[in-house]
């Protein structure tokens, strides 16, 4: 809010919004523009760190905001940050690594960013782990990638994978 007055910021689902100035501390409220009109509320401390606010719905339907640092140390170039913003556990294979993410969990992965990495997104099914998504992702030491995974209890199982890559600007000589 600017001097106590609300500031309107529109953010499309599964995308990064433009960077907004923030001086904090402040209570921030996002209101869903839909018939449900859920409110996502967070109290932010005063900081100069770049923050990433991730709005999601918990498995019990409660809206929540996760506040993550979005700086070069917490989320460096050459890394991939996976976040399960869905309501079911999701399994991942990324390069040589395999791990599970519960709803709301996230993991920063440092893979070999100089090559293409094979990725699989899995979910527990009636006959074990089912592959819901697979692809080859080109990686680069000068890029970082944010991946939102959104799955639910639908049958047949499905998942939405939103991948946002950010490249480091080239050095000026």
């Amino acid at each position: 809010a600017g001097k106590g007055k609300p500031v309107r910021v529109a953010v499309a689902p599964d995308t990064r919004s433009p960077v907004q100035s923030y001086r904090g501390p402040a209570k921030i409220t996002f209101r869903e523009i839909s018939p449900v009109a859920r409110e996502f509320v967070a109290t932010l401390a005063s900081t100069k760190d770049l923050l990433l606010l991730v709005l999601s719905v918990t498995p019990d339907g409660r809206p929540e905001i996760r506040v993550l640092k979005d700086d070069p140390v917490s989320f460096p170039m050459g890394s991939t940050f996976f976040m399960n913003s869905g309501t079911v556990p999701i399994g991942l294979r990324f390069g040589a690594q395999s791990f599970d993410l519960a709803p709301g969990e996230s993991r920063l992965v440092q893979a070999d960013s100089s090559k293409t990495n094979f990725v699989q997104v899995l979910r527990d099914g009636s006959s074990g782990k089912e592959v819901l998504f697979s692809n080859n992702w080109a990686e680069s030491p000068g890029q970082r990638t944010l991946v939102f995974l959104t799955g639910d209890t639908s049958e047949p199982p499905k998942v939405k994978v939103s991948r946002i890559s950010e490249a480091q600007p080239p050095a000026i000589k």
Side-chain angles (χ1 to χ4, degrees):
K3 297 189 180 189
K5 297 179 183 173
V7 175
R8 185 173 177 91
V9 178
V11 182
D14 299 323
T15 61
R16 264 188 185 262
S17 71
V19 174
Q20 301 291 320
S21 293
Y22 165 71
R23 294 198 179 136
K27 178 179 171 183
I28 187 165
T29 302
F30 289 91
R31 190 167 293 111
E32 196 174 31
I33 303 173
S34 75
V36 179
R38 290 178 286 224
E39 287 191 348
F40 299 79
V41 181
T43 302
L44 304 177
S46 182
T47 182
K48 291 184 179 182
D49 292 330
L50 290 174
L51 300 175
L52 180 63
L53 306 179
V54 181
L55 284 63
S56 60
V57 178
T58 62
D60 63 359
R62 187 176 39 87
E64 73 174 357
I65 295 181
R66 294 193 62 214
V67 180
L68 307 169
K69 283 190 176 183
D70 194 24
D71 59 79
V73 174
S74 302
F75 184 15
M77 289 294 167
S79 66
T80 302
F81 187 82
F82 290 95
M83 178 165 201
N84 181 354
S85 57
T87 59
V88 295
I90 290 178
L92 282 155
R93 292 186 188 129
F94 185 67
Q97 301 179 51
S98 294
F99 53 94
D100 292 326
L101 292 177
E105 276 191 327
S106 55
R107 178 174 290 189
L108 181 70
V109 177
Q110 299 281 84
D112 185 350
S113 61
S114 64
K115 65 176 190 174
T116 298
N117 285 298
F118 182 64
V119 63
Q120 285 185 315
V121 179
L122 309 112
R123 189 176 107 179
D124 287 332
S126 56
S127 59
K129 294 272 188 189
E130 298 177 58
V131 176
L132 303 179
F133 173 89
S134 63
N135 204 334
N136 285 308
W137 287 351
E139 303 292 318
S140 165
Q143 132 190 343
R144 64 184 190 160
T145 304
L146 177 62
V147 181
F148 293 107
L149 304 160
T150 308
D152 56 29
T153 57
S154 63
E155 291 300 332
K158 56 186 167 188
V159 67
K160 181 176 182 182
V161 178
S162 301
R163 180 177 176 231
I164 304 166
S165 292
E166 181 178 32
Q168 185 174 7
I172 298 174
K173 295 181 181 182

